[in-house]
Amino acid sequence: MAFTRETDHGTPPVLANGTTVTLSIDGQAVSVPEGTSLMRAASLIGTAIPKLCATDSVKSFGSCRLCLVEVEGRNGFPASCTTPVAEGMVVSTQTERLKKLRRGVMELYISDHPLDCLTCAANGDCELQDQAGAVGLRDVRYGYDGATNMGQAKDRSNPYFDFDPSKCIVCSRCVRACDEVQGTFALTIENMGFGSKVSAGQSEDFLASDCVSCGACVQACPTASLIEKKVVEVGTPDRSVITTCAYCGVGCTFRAETRGEELVRMVPWKDGKANHGHSCVKGRFAWGYAQHKERILNPMIRASVDEPWREVSWDEAIAHTASEFRRIQTKYGVRSIGGITSSRCTNEETFLVQKLIRQGFGNNNVDTCARVCHSPTGYGLKTTFGTSAGTQDFDSVQYADVILVIGANPTDAHPVFGSRMKQRLREGAKLIVVDPRRIDLVKSPHVAAEHHLPLRPGTNVALLTAMAHVIVTEGLANEDYIRARCEWDEYEDWAAFVSQRERSPEATEALTGVPAADVRAAARLYATGGNAAIYYGLGVTEHSQGSSTVMAIANLAMATGNVGREGVGVNPLRGQNNVQGACDMGSFPHEFSGYRHVSDEPTRKLFEQAWGVSLDAEPGLRIPNMLDAATDGVFKGIFIQGEDILQSDPNTHHVAAGLAAMECVVVQDLFLNETANYAHVFLPGSTFLEKDGTFTNAERRIQRVRKVMQPLNGYADWEIVQLVANAMGLGWSYAHPGEIMDEIAELTPTFTNVSYDALDRHGSLQWPANAAAPDGTPTMHIEGFVRGKGKFVVTDYVPTDEKTGPRFPLLLTTGRILSQYNVGAQTRRTENVAWHPEDMLEIHPVDAENRGVKEGDWVALKSRAGETTLRAHVTDRVAPGVVYTTFHHPDTQANVITTDYSDWATNCPEYKVTAVQVGLSNGPSDWQERYEEQARRSRRIVQAEAAE
């Protein structure tokens, strides 16, 4: 689409309270909700009142004095941004007196501003320039050599944007955006009067400050004072495309602004229903990986992983892939191959991969990265509520009175939603944080948790059951809700179980490490504090009792009546951009799209008729089972789309051995990742900027992904899968991803009303979107649960088999950091490494002192599964006995440490609980060499066994 600016109405919309006010602006009648500003009311009828300090992403401020208007019957010239409408008001926006006043104000601004417009990077995209023209300024009586800001040095420390104080008009928009939108409070106005200037707090520059580079300040700036380096380098954009971010599960909508096909900037779209015009450093700035020099653009094959890669044509690579898979199946049987779908690819691409495996391979050996993150969410919520997804939309948090965050770190892993949550907390909502680590939400500017329960890793179920004990035994359960909405007999069984003395906070204190009084206080607050919402993440699911914990969370919500309306619910914060969508599309070995079991005959017949083949009624292999079968010699080939299982899956040595045992490993990805070291075929993938499709975010919101540029590798990922399918004789003929979505809608009841036309019309849709809910479903389970009656499940605490002891006395837990994403394949190839160049081990000062470890020391991290080395960060953010690290850098190989223990119901790995020991080390070279030699030895052993 052509480049057009988004309309800025000057002040935010007000929440409609049912009262409408009618007034006259320049002789034109307008009706708006009560509380709307005059500026916004005028803008809604196409009347642009000059402004500089006003923008609709922050509250009105009234400092620039450009937006003055005249109101009949009132003295003076009120600022339109701070004046609310009133019934019958008569407003004039353009009179001779107003013109003179505005020109006088603008003269003062221009007298203290550089007049280098022709060479300024914001030329043609500068509000100061536009407003000078709008008020008719043609001369400046005071000269052009104002001394306040001229000559100040630029701050170029941030890798993505510059700050030029000489062009700052001190409108405070950047400061207010940092406060109100992001909630970091990193910027301030320093000094007073003519000496006023924007400052990054006590820091020397932006990079050293508390700034999180979300870009809100850059977007708010009306001049070139804050401007993207890419705009300076390339020039202002001339085209824009609305698309969806390919990072976390928030699913922010962006305007991808280009000059030709060169991406200039990603600007968060104000109409984006998940982000409302906000962004984080990853989505806003970290897209340079799309054109990184390490990206592979040509297909490659090799006969053995010990041989060098050989570039080939697409035709040869596809033909070779199909031939190898057919050869393996002929020799070893139909179930000897399988595949893994990607949670970073679109719904359409994921659907095609599972279709390729079911229709083309003839088995159900398909799995996805959700296996290692949120598969317990699917199992637990389907069991209790009847559907495998969260209950609310993100906007629902604005109506929450109590927010319980357990096993999640929203400000780092889901930062745009984390900012929304902080907004609500600053408005008065109460916060409970259940986490072994003191995450930023526990205490940050103007936000403090009412209760922080730093439980011992692995004891989630015990803690939640103790909270349930308090709710039931103190008569805090909502019996009316339970009788009306849930299975009463099962509730009574559950209530009797949690009421037992051994489930009390006092009895479980020794297990969880959380004082009983704190557990009781948190339980009472959750049960009695009003609308209570639960948000959880991988700290819940990546445990041996992950599914039990999800069901324990659901039990709490049902027992207190906190499901089925705005401001409440059970809300999993999905990690990757399309984890929800990958699950929806049938990426699990036991389910078709829409979470219907492969053994269900009517469902299977539906797919058989559509695809023209007989389908296997037996569930296939999960990822761990594929690797086990490979080492057993019966699983020989795999198609891996967009996942680096050697870095992301547990027990790296076992993953390496499984891959080494296969005869054909096909990797479809952007870069030669760790898994590609064991691949025989590499098919270069495409980025989200190079394709059309849809992503589904954590709130079940289906959103369009639109092509911004042509694929550098020649094909979008869905086209590559279609090439493989057709080489295997399947005869697919999709001309556009919209046709794939039409097939998904035809075969999936929750997607019946989803089409590209509908998505373009609505902007997005939250499933279920069908005849019963044609416009989608923001809030689930309003009248009743999907399964009918809510199901309480007894969740007994079963300690993990991973035990601490004299050899391994500490517990390791893992997580993410704001600037990096997942295994870092994308973000490590951007300037985000300025904030996180390596993974580090957080260790409590007491544990560090006992081991002679100081800040920055190299330490060896050992478990029963393996060993790695990384630098230490000594901090009291973790409790004594607990250490923590991220997993974004392959050099660290954090998953060499993790074990094979997994969730009892879903095989989700127990990443969050690993018994370890920490000791001083000389550096990384020794373990790296051992790891690489072990991988080589695994390959030699497999090859020798095959030869025998």
Side-chain angles (χ1 to χ4, degrees), residues 418-552:
S419 294
R420 294 285 301 281
M421 186 180 287
K422 288 194 292 185
Q423 288 175 0
R424 180 58 189 146
L425 293 171
R426 291 196 299 271
E427 291 168 356
K430 304 297 184 183
L431 175 66
I432 304 166
V433 174
V434 181
D435 200 289
R437 187 167 169 262
R438 192 180 70 247
I439 62 174
D440 286 345
L441 277 178
V442 173
K443 187 168 180 58
S444 57
H446 303 284
V447 169
E450 199 79 8
H451 303 287
H452 175 212
L453 310 182
L455 78 172
R456 184 172 293 115
T459 61
N460 287 336
V461 171
L463 181 75
L464 292 169
T465 303
M467 291 180 67
H469 174 94
V470 175
I471 291 168
V472 172
T473 58
E474 295 187 5
L476 305 179
N478 188 333
E479 185 173 321
D480 290 342
Y481 179 94
I482 298 165
R483 286 186 179 277
R485 299 284 303 274
C486 304
E487 295 180 358
W488 180 255
D489 290 346
E490 292 183 350
Y491 167 73
E492 288 188 308
D493 292 340
W494 173 80
F497 169 78
V498 301
S499 297
Q500 294 169 6
R501 182 176 301 174
E502 57 267 32
R503 321 288 176 205
S504 70
E506 290 74 18
T508 56
E509 182 175 327
L511 293 173
T512 66
V514 180
D518 293 348
V519 176
R520 286 190 176 275
R524 291 165 184 154
L525 176 60
Y526 176 78
T528 65
N531 286 341
I534 300 176
Y535 295 90
Y536 71 87
L538 304 186
V540 160
T541 56
E542 291 179 342
H543 288 274
S544 59
Q545 281 202 287
S547 294
S548 297
T549 307
V550 172
M551 292 186 289

Side-chain angles (χ1 to χ4, degrees), residues 6 57 181 214-220 228 242-243 245 252-257 265-272 275-280 283-285 416:
E6 285 189 87
S57 62
V181 179
C214 67
C217 60
V218 180
Q219 188 174 1
E228 297 94 334
I242 304 301
T243 192
C245 180
C252 297
T253 309
F254 280 87
R255 281 166 51 101
E257 298 184 354
R265 62 188 174 195
M266 294 284 283
V267 180
W269 196 37
K270 287 189 290 188
D271 287 340
N275 59 318
H276 298 290
H278 191 33
S279 60
C280 79
R284 182 71 158 90
F285 297 116
V416 170

Side-chain angles (χ1 to χ4, degrees), residues 5-242:
R5 292 185 189 173
E6 285 189 87
T7 300
D8 187 337
H9 296 298
T11 61
V14 297
L15 291 175
N17 60 5
T19 302
T20 300
V21 171
T22 301
L23 67 157
S24 171
I25 300 178
D26 293 338
Q28 186 174 351
V30 57
S31 296
V32 293
E34 184 180 36
T36 301
S37 72
L38 285 178
M39 177 179 284
R40 187 176 184 89
S43 179
L44 292 173
I45 58 172
T47 299
I49 299 175
K51 58 182 171 57
L52 281 175
C53 74
T55 181
D56 58 14
S57 62
V58 294
K59 298 172 184 175
S60 56
F61 197 54
S63 71
C64 75
R65 313 314 293 169
L66 269 186
C67 72
L68 306 179
V69 294
E70 290 189 52
V71 179
E72 189 176 282
R74 294 192 186 182
N75 294 325
F77 305 92
S80 62
C81 67
T82 57
T83 303
V85 296
E87 184 66 35
M89 182 181 277
V90 177
V91 181
S92 296
T93 71
Q94 189 78 352
T95 67
E96 289 304 315
R97 289 189 297 179
L98 289 172
K99 291 176 186 178
K100 185 176 180 180
L101 283 169
R102 289 171 182 160
R103 279 195 295 268
V105 170
M106 185 58 74
E107 277 187 275
L108 294 172
Y109 279 112
I110 297 302
S111 71
D112 190 27
H113 195 82
L115 292 183
D116 58 350
C117 294
L118 290 179
T119 57
C120 178
N123 188 21
D125 191 24
C126 172
E127 290 183 49
L128 182 65
Q129 189 181 65
D130 293 343
Q131 297 305 330
V135 303
L137 182 66
R138 299 295 177 261
D139 190 24
V140 176
R141 293 168 290 173
Y142 316 115
Y144 300 100
D145 56 351
T148 305
N149 293 313
M150 300 297 191
Q152 294 189 51
K154 291 183 181 180
D155 180 353
R156 291 193 168 99
S157 62
N158 190 284
Y160 294 118
F161 60 83
D162 294 334
F163 173 54
D164 184 353
S166 71
K167 296 185 177 181
C168 178
I169 60 173
V170 199
C171 64
S172 297
R173 276 164 59 162
C174 60
V175 177
R176 290 146 57 208
C178 188
D179 295 355
E180 298 174 25
V181 179
Q182 170 57 31
T184 298
F185 297 85
L187 304 179
T188 187
I189 300 295
E190 190 177 280
N191 301 326
M192 299 175 65
F194 286 109
S196 300
K197 63 179 183 178
V198 172
S199 169
Q202 300 299 313
S203 304
E204 293 182 2
D205 53 43
F206 269 81
L207 188 61
S209 73
D210 291 334
C211 169
V212 294
S213 297
C214 67
C217 60
V218 180
Q219 188 174 1
C221 182
T223 70
S225 184
L226 284 161
I227 193 166
E228 297 94 334
K229 293 179 187 287
K230 193 72 173 179
V231 174
V232 177
E233 173 193 337
V234 178
T236 53
D238 58 13
R239 188 173 67 95
S240 65
V241 178
I242 304 301

